[in-house]
Amino acid sequence: MLNIAVFVSGGGTNLQGIIDNIKTGFIKNARIALVISNKKDAYALERAENNNIPRKTLSQKDFKSHDLYCEALLKTLAGYKVDLIVLAGYLLIMPETIIKEYRNRIINIHPSLIPSFCGKGYYGLKVHEAVLERGCKITGATVHFVDEGTDTGPIILQKAVEVLEEDTPKSLQSRVMEEAEWKILPETINLIANNKIKIKDKKVYISNL
Ligand code: GRF
């Protein structure tokens, strides 16, 4: 059984997607061991509570130094025997210490087709604003492994979403979530939990379920 820690900062609809897909049995051999938020008022924490999932708020500003913060994070993850870290709308950069310790065991969902509209400054609605500004006809979402760069790790799954002429950043964000994010994140977790993913030369290879 794969033990997952889901990191969140906000609403947690992607967290909900994971919870629901575990409940329906779409995701097999995985459980959410813990939800970690950097914000104590994140609605995602309520979603965890409603589903009896252990939750913690850990924020760098509550620690005297970056090292102490990393130490607390590592201790927490080890305490819950975490195998996979899922960044689901987590707005902070993962400390390098954690990336090293959990190499190829941290995944992130990004609301565009990487390598477009990703990297520094591209988060939340800003991504969708930029897609509309450029006049793109398609956009989408990407799940990738997390490395030391911003959105530069090996790509696992991507799904395209049509951009409509009447789209606003908000309507596009909603459709990208519904049509892409809430699908490919649970799919990726299921693939990892069932040993269907291999990485070679920074590329991801997927075998049939
Ligand atoms: C999603 O669009 C995700 O791709 C991005 O932040 C948003 C989080 O939404 N990184 P939620 O908290 O899962 O509802």
Side-chain angles (χ1 to χ4, degrees), residues 3-188:
N3 276 333
I4 306 170
V6 184
F7 280 60
V8 295
S9 298
T13 58
N14 277 292
L15 167 67
Q16 191 67 52
I18 301 168
I19 295 172
D20 294 347
N21 278 286
I22 289 175
K23 272 194 192 151
T24 63
F26 175 80
I27 297 176
K28 293 185 182 66
N29 301 318
R31 58 188 280 273
I32 303 177
L34 172 69
V35 170
I36 296 184
S37 172
N38 61 309
K39 291 188 184 151
K40 65 173 184 320
D41 57 351
Y43 183 65
L45 289 172
E46 269 181 53
R47 295 183 192 268
E49 189 175 359
N50 294 340
N51 288 278
N52 297 316
I53 299 169
R55 58 220 164 261
K56 278 208 172 345
T57 305
L58 273 176
S59 167
Q60 161 130 16
K61 64 176 174 8
D62 299 328
F63 294 86
K64 285 211 175 93
S65 71
H66 183 69
D67 286 355
L68 286 172
Y69 165 63
C70 290
E71 210 174 280
L73 263 180
L74 285 175
K75 220 173 168 183
T76 304
L77 294 169
Y80 284 86
K81 298 190 168 24
V82 169
D83 305 301
L84 178 74
I85 295 174
V86 177
L87 309 183
Y90 186 61
L91 293 177
L92 298 186
I93 302 284
M94 249 308 135
E96 285 198 5
T97 325
I98 317 292
I99 296 175
K100 279 207 182 75
E101 187 70 28
Y102 286 82
R103 174 78 59 205
N104 295 335
R105 292 195 292 147
I106 309 177
I107 61 172
N108 179 46
I109 175 93
H110 182 77
S112 78
L113 292 173
I114 289 175
S116 291
F117 307 106
C118 62
K120 271 214 170 104
Y122 285 108
Y123 60 88
L125 274 181
K126 288 184 194 296
V127 175
H128 307 288
E129 278 162 14
V131 166
L132 291 175
E133 176 71 21
R134 185 64 185 82
C136 293
K137 304 299 184 198
I138 55 161
T139 181
T142 304
V143 181
H144 62 92
F145 283 110
V146 172
D147 66 8
E148 283 78 356
T150 309
D151 302 326
T152 55
I155 291 171
I156 308 169
L157 288 183
Q158 294 190 297
K159 193 163 191 296
V161 172
E162 195 181 346
V163 179
L164 304 179
E165 274 176 16
E166 63 272 25
D167 263 329
T168 62
K170 273 207 172 307
S171 69
L172 188 55
Q173 180 183 50
S174 302
R175 231 175 34 264
V176 167
M177 283 180 155
E178 248 178 82
E179 291 181 15
E181 294 185 41
W182 300 344
K183 296 197 163 114
I184 60 176
L185 189 57
E187 251 178 71
T188 302

